[in-house]
Amino acid sequence: MTEKLTFPDGFLWGGATAANQCEGAYDADGRGLANVDVVPIGADRLAIITGKKKMFDFEEGYFYPAKEAIDMYHRFKEDIALFGEMGFKTYRMSIAWSRIFPKGDELEPNEAGLKFYEDLFKECHKYGIEPLVTITHFDCPMHLIEQYGGWRSRKMLEFYERLCRTLFTRYKGLVKYWLTFNEINMILHAPFMGAGLCFEEGENEEQVKYQAAHHELVASAIATKLAHEIDPENKVGCMLAAGQNYPNTCHPRDVWAGIEEDRKNYFFIDVQARGEYPNYAKTAWEREGINVEMTEEDLQLLKEHTVDFISFSYYSSRVASGDPKVNELTEGNIFASLKNPYLEASEWGWQIDPLGLRITLNTIWDRYQKPMFIVENGLGAVDTPDENGYVADDYRIDYLAAHVKAMREAINEDGVVLWGYTTWGCIDLVSAGTGEMKKRYGFIYVDRDNEGKGTLKRSKKKSFDWYKEVVATNGASVK
């Protein structure tokens, strides 16, 4: 039997970005300040995104890469034209909440912000590109953090509902694919970035994180309900940072450690896809003295408004051990993990595991039986351009080709249902984890460095034409 090389008809190939990592123009046209703006590059970044160190405004002596990023706000037509040239079927991007509601708690939206995204969506449609829109990709207006404590406050439900109602109404007919929260499980690992949380001395951080997670989960159900009411054509997905946890050895305690680590990530999706809190979470909260306040109405919303599809990011698999002595962690990633001796790693210590993508696809499919969408996958690397800005990034092509094959096998051999694939950072942008520009993912090189210097000129890498061919042949060019 010959291997089937193509993907299903209508498969949505494309690329992905996030507003705070590419738009820049942090104070243009009435936009308010957001948590993602005030996170600097450098030694303090991790302490700030994890809520350990407070930084609620710009401070002297720091560089804030999101202020300008790659200035897509002023260059989106040029960038979308390049996506169109590659043949994108979809473009995953996100809304900057503080462009629409600068403080977050206003009753009326900012028209300039609404108009910007309307123009952007129309530009996508000009090239036959379907927008896939993340409502909240780590963005939270700073006013909501200072005034209400971010997602620890139940008041956030009202503000998020108003944002969603505004978006679904204004962009009806322009957008039909929506994601409620980016990498919702990030709240456990980077709570300031994920939910605007900062911790006070001595408070129960796990209690705060899970209460905020409950608010986000209810908000996601409210968004799903609204989206379906306002336009029955809308499809709403959840989004998690995925990657299977392998046991470090076949010792049963390592296998158990892998299951426990996986549950921490799937906990959120269990609620969003199945409609109720899993027993393992309820018993864990009881054991750890965590009391999450929730109403009967909350539980009903969660039950009745589950997501239409499950989207996720996949960069690498992980390794878990139940042995307290085993602690050699991989570098770089917010999701620290043991090293896997059988895998190579990227320059940032992320382990490269294409088969792990097939394993992850099968695990999610077996668990939920809902259509899936891979909305982030890619290789962060240092690219060295020639004098014309051209990068011969064969290493990126090799990485992506191996992952395309893994997807194809999962669809054709295992029968999983996958709607589409958007590579992360289809144009070079600021890294969420490190704030660097030199950690590049794109098919398009952007002339800007870690200090914010450069012309911002766009140029095509070798992978640009490679991906164009992948899309044109619906995956068949990847042998």
Side-chain angles (χ1 to χ4, degrees), residues 146-199:
E146 293 180 86
Q147 194 67 34
Y148 306 97
W151 279 97
R152 66 169 66 210
S153 167
R154 197 174 170 87
K155 289 285 287 178
M156 294 292 281
L157 297 179
E158 176 193 331
F159 308 139
Y160 186 81
E161 180 172 359
R162 191 173 298 134
L163 172 68
C164 290
R165 189 180 294 280
T166 303
L167 299 179
F168 299 151
T169 306
R170 178 65 172 256
Y171 304 129
K172 184 177 178 177
L174 283 174
V175 180
K176 67 177 180 190
Y177 293 103
W178 301 91
L179 306 178
T180 52
F181 290 91
N182 179 67
E183 292 186 335
I184 192 165
N185 48 327
M186 191 62 81
I187 198 171
L188 302 180
H189 307 273
F192 179 71
M193 191 162 75
L197 302 180
C198 278
F199 301 109

Side-chain angles (χ1 to χ4, degrees), residues 24-289:
Y26 78 99
D27 59 353
D29 299 324
R31 183 185 180 278
L33 201 62
N35 59 334
V36 285
D37 300 324
V38 296
V39 182
I41 191 172
D44 289 339
R45 186 177 180 90
L46 189 62
I48 293 163
I49 65 176
T50 53
K52 305 287 190 195
K53 178 182 171 70
K54 276 188 186 175
M55 189 172 284
F56 283 5
D57 208 339
F58 303 121
E59 294 181 15
E60 280 297 311
Y62 290 96
F63 175 62
Y64 297 90
K67 275 176 133 177
E68 292 176 36
I70 61 164
D71 195 32
M72 194 187 268
Y73 188 78
H74 295 109
R75 296 164 182 256
F76 71 88
K77 290 190 175 178
E78 174 192 353
D79 294 338
I80 290 169
L82 287 164
F83 302 159
E85 192 183 328
M86 269 188 282
F88 279 18
K89 308 295 182 197
T90 188
Y91 169 43
R92 181 201 170 206
M93 39 80 65
S94 74
I95 300 281
W97 188 342
S98 60
R99 281 203 198 286
I100 312 298
F101 291 97
K103 292 168 76 175
D105 59 1
E106 300 95 335
L107 296 177
E108 294 302 323
N110 171 31
E111 176 54 32
L114 286 170
K115 180 76 168 66
F116 166 69
Y117 291 111
E118 184 178 325
D119 292 346
L120 194 155
F121 298 145
K122 285 178 174 171
E123 200 67 20
C124 286
H125 284 292
K126 195 167 108 183
Y127 296 96
I129 299 171
E130 191 73 59
L132 166 62
V133 178
T134 312
I135 297 164
T136 303
H137 194 123
F138 301 148
D139 282 77
C140 185
M142 275 312 302
H143 172 74
L144 297 184
I145 294 168
E146 293 180 86
Q147 194 67 34
Y148 306 97
W151 279 97
R152 66 169 66 210
S153 167
R154 197 174 170 87
K155 289 285 287 178
M156 294 292 281
L157 297 179
E158 176 193 331
F159 308 139
Y160 186 81
E161 180 172 359
R162 191 173 298 134
L163 172 68
C164 290
R165 189 180 294 280
T166 303
L167 299 179
F168 299 151
T169 306
R170 178 65 172 256
Y171 304 129
K172 184 177 178 177
L174 283 174
V175 180
K176 67 177 180 190
Y177 293 103
W178 301 91
L179 306 178
T180 52
F181 290 91
N182 179 67
E183 292 186 335
I184 192 165
N185 48 327
M186 191 62 81
I187 198 171
L188 302 180
H189 307 273
F192 179 71
M193 191 162 75
L197 302 180
C198 278
F199 301 109
E200 303 305 327
E201 193 69 43
E203 86 177 321
N204 183 339
E205 293 184 11
E206 294 303 299
Q207 164 81 37
V208 174
K209 285 194 270 194
Y210 279 106
Q211 186 65 60
H214 173 71
H215 293 149
E216 287 196 354
L217 289 166
V218 175
S220 177
I222 289 169
T224 308
K225 176 177 186 282
L226 271 179
H228 292 148
E229 284 170 359
I230 290 169
D231 185 356
E233 293 294 302
N234 278 332
K235 299 287 182 202
V236 184
C238 54
M239 199 289 201
L240 83 148
Q244 198 68 15
N245 281 279
Y246 303 150
N248 192 40
T249 70
C250 54
H251 193 298
R253 72 179 174 190
D254 286 357
V255 176
W256 181 246
I259 289 170
E260 287 197 307
E261 286 302 312
D262 280 337
R263 279 175 166 178
K264 285 176 190 169
N265 294 324
Y266 289 128
F267 153 76
F268 298 89
I269 314 306
D270 283 351
V271 180
Q272 290 173 296
R274 292 170 165 168
E276 56 192 356
Y277 282 104
N279 286 344
Y280 65 78
K282 293 190 241 183
T283 53
W285 288 344
E286 202 176 313
R287 197 167 55 244
E288 291 157 29

Side-chain angles (χ1 to χ4, degrees), residues 254-419:
D254 286 357
V255 176
W256 181 246
I259 289 170
E260 287 197 307
E261 286 302 312
D262 280 337
R263 279 175 166 178
K264 285 176 190 169
N265 294 324
Y266 289 128
F267 153 76
F268 298 89
I269 314 306
D270 283 351
V271 180
Q272 290 173 296
R274 292 170 165 168
E276 56 192 356
Y277 282 104
N279 286 344
Y280 65 78
K282 293 190 241 183
T283 53
W285 288 344
E286 202 176 313
R287 197 167 55 244
E288 291 157 29
I290 293 169
N291 178 33
V292 179
E293 289 179 23
M294 53 183 83
T295 68
E296 281 305 314
E297 190 196 2
D298 291 351
L299 297 175
Q300 196 176 343
L301 279 164
L302 294 173
K303 189 77 185 159
E304 292 174 5
H305 303 287
T306 54
V307 291
D308 301 309
F309 66 98
I310 292 159
S311 78
F312 61 91
S313 59
Y314 177 84
Y315 295 97
S316 60
S317 53
R318 304 162 195 155
V319 178
S321 169
D323 183 348
K325 291 179 189 160
V326 179
N327 61 3
E328 189 194 354
L329 298 179
T330 48
E331 312 147 31
N333 196 351
I334 289 166
F335 289 86
S337 159
L338 301 177
K339 285 185 177 163
N340 187 327
Y342 301 101
L343 299 176
E344 290 178 18
S346 75
E347 292 165 275
W348 273 264
W350 297 27
Q351 308 220 267
I352 298 169
D353 184 10
L355 180 54
L357 176 56
R358 184 176 177 181
I359 292 166
T360 299
L361 279 163
N362 275 279
T363 302
I364 293 174
W365 176 252
D366 289 349
R367 196 172 178 110
Y368 304 114
Q369 283 92 48
K370 285 196 183 234
M372 291 174 288
F373 210 128
I374 298 167
V375 292
E376 289 185 30
N377 172 242
L379 179 70
V382 176
D383 290 338
T384 310
D386 65 15
E387 65 280 4
N388 303 313
Y390 179 77
V391 178
D393 57 343
D394 293 279
Y395 42 87
R396 182 167 292 111
I397 292 169
D398 292 345
Y399 175 98
L400 293 171
H403 286 77
V404 167
K405 285 181 193 169
M407 288 192 296
R408 187 163 63 203
E409 286 161 358
I411 293 168
N412 293 328
E413 295 178 30
D414 309 330
V416 308
V417 177
L418 185 64
W419 282 356

